[in-house]
Amino acid sequence: MRLANINGRLALRHAGGYLDVETASGGRYGPDPQAPFADWDAFARWADEHLRSGRADRADGAEPAEDTLWGPPVPRPAQVFAVGLNYRDHVAESGLQIPAEPAVFTKFPTSLTGHGQAVTLPEGLVDWEAELVLVIGRHCHRATRETAWSHIAGVTVGQDLSERRLQLTGPAPQFSLAKSYPGFGPTGPELVTADELDDPDDLELGCMLENGEVLQKSRTSNMIFDVRELIVRLSAVCPLLPGDLVFTGTPAGVGGARTPQKFLAPGDTLVTWIEGVGTLRTPTAAR
Ligand code: ZN
């Protein structure tokens, strides 16, 4: 199943287009893309049955128009976890030690935006970080490796945009604020359930400048703490709530670790992809 937030309304991918969920469900589900997380399992059952039933085939799955406003697939998570230093090659380029525990911070939810939405670059040095983003589907506290994936509704493509000057100024780095300017958490275009993926623990991910060079390219199987381990370690401390997000870290190739350093400039469009999950476009604009 693939879900999107199209013009602020929950939409379900069907064939080449999208079904409006409120219309397709006869009003059983409203238009709010956050609503399925009130009871994710029931929603997933309804969507699955609807797509199999043939009723979906008789409806018009509308292809998104050119001027479609793609919102974040999960617009109002209660908690957003993000993990730093989770790929060995990125730890090495950062000149740091392999962490014994995940390095966890938050991206405040006001930083979230969707596919194709322009991000205004603040003053400073804005860097890219392509990341697999997990969406929690079931309440989860003290999960085990065996059950970890069962708490995940699906995954999406994300960018953990980061203003490096603010991040690294001061006696200790402060990740959360420097990674939370408006638009610094692009996600989407779709939330994709794990059954759509051949191996959800081994996906190519990367990013590039549109019509330009590839900046990052790796596989999620190179994570230091894999998806299961992140769910175990995060939920050992915090209960994870349906609709929460987990940014799982970025591989090597960030701009701040290059010689010379390279950062986003107004007019750049960052293109981020994850194999089988999707491609997220992020244009940037001057202040
Ligand atoms: Zn990151």
Side-chain angles (χ1 to χ4, degrees), residues 85-99:
L85 303 174
N86 200 26
Y87 287 78
R88 279 185 184 76
D89 55 0
H90 176 57
V91 175
E93 73 177 354
S94 306
L96 297 167
Q97 304 283 325
I98 301 281

Side-chain angles (χ1 to χ4, degrees), residues 83-84 105 129 131 160 162 179 249-250:
V83 181
F105 58 96
E129 295 192 358
E131 306 203 3
D160 176 19
S162 307
K179 291 165 172 273
T250 203

